Amino acid sequence: LAFTYHREQKLDLNLYLQANYFNAQYTVQQQMQNRYLDSRHGLDATYWLRPNLLVNNDFEWIATTGRSDGFNRQIPLWHLHVSYLFLKNQRGTLKFSAIDLLNQSQSINRNVGENFIFDSQTEVLQRYFMLSFSLSLSRWGGKKPGATTAAPKAQGKKQPGAKPGEE
């Protein structure tokens, strides 16, 4: 479920909710039956301070329930990006990113097999900062996307399909 609001070069808002319900049922080993829920909900907001300067805040809340003791978690994640657009047609982007500002990132996994349920937590990269540069090549060489190069007209010869007086 998602809600999106867009105002050109001013504000983009994306509010979302995602829920995944898992139901593992067994006919032979009924004690292995298991139900659990993973959900994610968050807000992604981008605000243009100027036509070439924008700030993006991305906040997400991740919840895991119905798992083994110690694996039911509430994980808040917050990412912040500041982007500066430059060069002709704003083809260049210099972006500073702060990822996992709350230092809470975790990886919780559940594997379910015929005779086992295994919950695990793995190490992930937590809070970090990054400076990146990207260049859009969509109009390289000054040609518009989809444009074709026409064959030059032959000097003094009538082009096929041309009307009288056209050369």
Side-chain angles (χ1 to χ4, degrees), residues 3 11 22 42 50 57 62 74-76 80 86 97 132 145 149 153-154:
F3 169 77
L11 180 66
F22 300 91
R50 294 190 318 227
N57 265 294
I62 301 170
Q74 307 288 319
I75 306 167
L80 176 68
F86 62 104
S97 300
S132 62
T149 305
K153 291 183 181 181

Side-chain angles (χ1 to χ4, degrees), residues 2 7 9 30 40 48 52 78 86 93 97 109 114 132 147 161:
R7 185 163 176 204
Q9 295 266 321
Q30 292 185 1
R40 294 174 172 262
W48 276 261
N52 65 338
W78 179 26
F86 62 104
T93 303
S97 300
N109 297 300
E114 292 180 12
S132 62

Side-chain angles (χ1 to χ4, degrees), residues 4 35 37 55 67 78 89 92 95 97 111-112 115 131 140 150 159:
T4 300
R35 294 181 184 97
L37 176 70
V55 176
R67 296 178 184 243
W78 179 26
N89 298 322
K95 179 165 57 170
S97 300
N111 293 312
V112 177
N115 59 359
L131 183 64
W140 195 254
Q159 295 293 317

Side-chain angles (χ1 to χ4, degrees), residues 66-81:
R67 296 178 184 243
S68 303
D69 289 341
F71 290 95
N72 294 314
R73 305 275 172 87
Q74 307 288 319
I75 306 167
L77 296 176
W78 179 26
H79 310 306
L80 176 68
H81 310 277

Side-chain angles (χ1 to χ4, degrees), residues 54-116:
L54 53 114
V55 176
N56 172 259
N57 265 294
D58 180 13
F59 182 80
E60 183 173 45
W61 189 271
I62 301 170
T64 59
T65 61
R67 296 178 184 243
S68 303
D69 289 341
F71 290 95
N72 294 314
R73 305 275 172 87
Q74 307 288 319
I75 306 167
L77 296 176
W78 179 26
H79 310 306
L80 176 68
H81 310 277
V82 178
S83 299
Y84 175 69
L85 310 172
F86 62 104
L87 299 178
K88 186 177 178 181
N89 298 322
Q90 297 183 334
R91 290 182 39 226
T93 303
L94 187 63
K95 179 165 57 170
F96 173 76
S97 300
I99 307 299
D100 190 19
L101 283 170
L102 303 175
N103 209 30
Q104 297 293 310
S105 187
Q106 299 175 31
S107 176
I108 308 289
N109 297 300
R110 169 163 276 193
N111 293 312
V112 177
E114 292 180 12
N115 59 359
F116 71 90

